[in-house]
Amino acid sequence: MEIRIGDLAKRSGCKVVTIRYYEKEGLLPKPARSGGNFRLYGEAHIERLQFIRHCRSLDMTLSEIRALLGLRDNPMQDCGEVNTLLEAHIQQVEMRVSALLQLKRHLVDLREKCSGSRSVEACGILQGLGNCNCHGESATNSQTSG
Amino acid sequence: MEIRIGDLAKRSGCKVVTIRYYEKEGLLPKPARSGGNFRLYGEAHIERLQFIRHCRSLDMTLSEIRALLGLRDNPMQDCGEVNTLLEAHIQQVEMRVSALLQLKRHLVDLREKCSGSRSVEACGILQGLGNCNCHGESATNSQTSG
DNA sequence: TAAAATCTCTATAGTCACTATAGAGTCAAG
DNA sequence: CTTGACTCTATAGTGACTATAGAGATTTTA
Ligand SMILES: [Zn+2]
Ligand SMILES: [Zn+2]
Ligand SMILES: [Zn+2]
Ligand SMILES: [Zn+2]
């Protein structure tokens, strides 16, 4: 059961270049090669790539995925780390959601501000974007410390 | 009223390099220079940078911001475009939120699956990440068409 | 006035997870 | 034996920065 990279791409729903990229990044082991130097994949690769894609669809970073794969490759380990990683990821997602919701409230507020005067000069939106003091003159900013 | 880049950075809560980056990207006009070739900024720059930072804090891309600045620089224009841009941005944020919420549901489901057996091999989370058929073998994927 | 500390300058490379391109080689079908 | 689809490697680009190096300017301190 040996398939080439194009077929693997079709099966996994990701692109050929992405598969090669994962290989370069060490997420997928180097496959066997054909006489003509084509990559030849087997069941294990297919399953592993699906695992990776699933994790990616859950917005995990490649290094999170690398960690999960590392655990998966040593099945005797305690699964506590898996839980920890997942928990941390969920929290990240939650934080991102609440940040976006706050941001959306801000955007909606802004939308209300258009006076409808139809002139950019008088548009409350642009004024709101310039005048709003929600980010202060002092460094209350996320960018500042980094 | 001429301040140097470091002070502008403090006032706006963004880094010196970021200010230079915005200049290179054409968001901030090239400022005057001192005898020693230091950038010298005035009120207009400060206000403009605050506008940019505000937009960035609302997750707008630099090209969206470029568009808004372009409108702001020609105050006689109709403000309809401002509304359009804002509306589109709000929709993007909404879409991102709902995608993240769906994703979170998925992650929480996954979290439930840990059998507590404390062995990676038997951990329902890793199995769930491998077996889940929510992304199908066929190309129901966002990556596929690109 | 000199030395030290701080700030600024340009240019270049790195981040992440890919995407795009160029130019060459491989392989199956007609 | 040529066409076309597939594959190979290597390199550069994306967005919005961040990090670094090495030099020059200015300010502070001794
Ligand atoms: Zn308006
Ligand atoms: Zn605001
Ligand atoms: Zn478990
Ligand atoms: Zn799933």
Side-chain angles (χ1 to χ4, degrees):
Chain A
M1 203 301 200
E2 294 186 324
I3 63 173
R4 299 207 300 223
I5 198 167
D7 292 325
L8 180 55
K10 270 175 210 139
R11 271 167 182 268
S12 59
C14 80
K15 298 193 183 163
V16 167
V17 280
T18 305
I19 296 173
R20 287 196 284 247
Y21 173 69
Y22 290 157
E23 178 182 330
K24 205 179 62 173
E25 292 297 304
L27 298 178
L28 280 177
K30 306 210 172 202
R33 297 286 184 133
S34 74
N37 200 32
F38 288 6
R39 288 170 178 82
L40 297 176
Y41 296 98
E43 288 297 347
H45 293 99
I46 299 171
E47 199 265 324
R48 195 178 181 92
L49 181 54
Q50 277 164 359
F51 182 94
I52 295 171
R53 294 308 293 175
H54 194 185
C55 291
R56 282 295 296 142
S57 83
L58 295 172
D59 230 19
M60 296 184 189
T61 65
L62 294 196
S63 86
E64 285 176 308
I65 299 170
R66 224 187 309 269
L68 284 179
L69 287 170
L71 289 163
R72 222 175 69 125
D73 291 342
N74 301 19
M76 289 321 183
Q77 283 179 281
D78 187 301
C79 78
E81 277 190 58
V82 178
N83 287 277
T84 306
L85 201 152
L86 187 62
E87 195 59 46
H89 188 64
I90 290 175
Q91 281 202 13
Q92 277 175 41
V93 172
E94 277 170 354
M95 278 167 50
R96 185 107 185 90
V97 167
S98 68
L100 282 175
L101 287 177
Q102 194 177 344
L103 191 154
K104 192 195 144 189
R105 274 195 299 280
H106 201 136
L107 286 166
V108 169
D109 279 0
L110 218 45
R111 184 173 51 183
E112 311 289 293
K113 289 208 178 140
C114 177
S115 57
S117 71
R118 318 301 289 161
S119 125
V120 162
E121 191 159 31
C123 180
I125 295 176
L126 285 181
Q127 285 168 12
L129 282 168
N131 298 335
C132 176
N133 55 358
C134 62
H135 315 289
E137 307 265 329
S138 52
T140 358
N141 207 294
S142 65
Q143 220 65 23
T144 315
S145 63
Chain B
M1 204 300 202
E2 293 185 325
I3 63 174
R4 299 207 300 223
I5 199 168
D7 292 325
L8 181 55
K10 272 175 208 138
R11 271 167 183 270
S12 59
C14 82
K15 297 193 183 164
V16 167
V17 279
T18 306
I19 296 172
R20 287 197 284 248
Y21 173 68
Y22 289 158
E23 179 183 329
K24 206 178 63 172
E25 292 297 305
L27 298 178
L28 280 176
K30 305 209 172 201
R33 295 288 182 130
S34 73
N37 200 32
F38 287 8
R39 289 170 178 83
L40 297 176
Y41 296 98
E43 288 296 349
H45 293 98
I46 299 171
E47 199 266 323
R48 195 179 181 91
L49 182 54
Q50 277 165 0
F51 182 93
I52 295 170
R53 294 309 293 174
H54 195 185
C55 292
R56 280 296 294 143
S57 82
L58 295 172
D59 232 19
M60 296 183 189
T61 65
L62 293 197
S63 87
E64 286 175 308
I65 299 170
R66 224 188 307 270
L68 284 179
L69 287 169
L71 290 163
R72 222 175 69 123
D73 292 341
N74 301 19
M76 290 319 184
Q77 284 179 280
D78 188 300
C79 79
E81 278 190 57
V82 178
N83 288 278
T84 306
L85 201 151
L86 187 63
E87 195 60 45
H89 188 63
I90 290 175
Q91 281 201 13
Q92 276 175 40
V93 172
E94 277 169 353
M95 277 167 51
R96 185 108 185 87
V97 167
S98 69
L100 281 175
L101 286 176
Q102 193 177 347
L103 191 154
K104 190 193 144 189
R105 272 195 299 280
H106 201 134
L107 287 166
V108 169
D109 278 359
L110 217 46
R111 184 172 51 182
E112 311 288 293
K113 288 206 178 142
C114 177
S115 56
S117 71
R118 318 301 289 160
S119 124
V120 163
E121 191 157 32
C123 180
I125 294 175
L126 285 180
Q127 284 169 13
L129 282 168
N131 298 336
C132 175
N133 55 358
C134 63
H135 315 288
E137 308 265 329
S138 52
T140 358
N141 206 296
S142 64
Q143 220 65 23
T144 315
S145 63

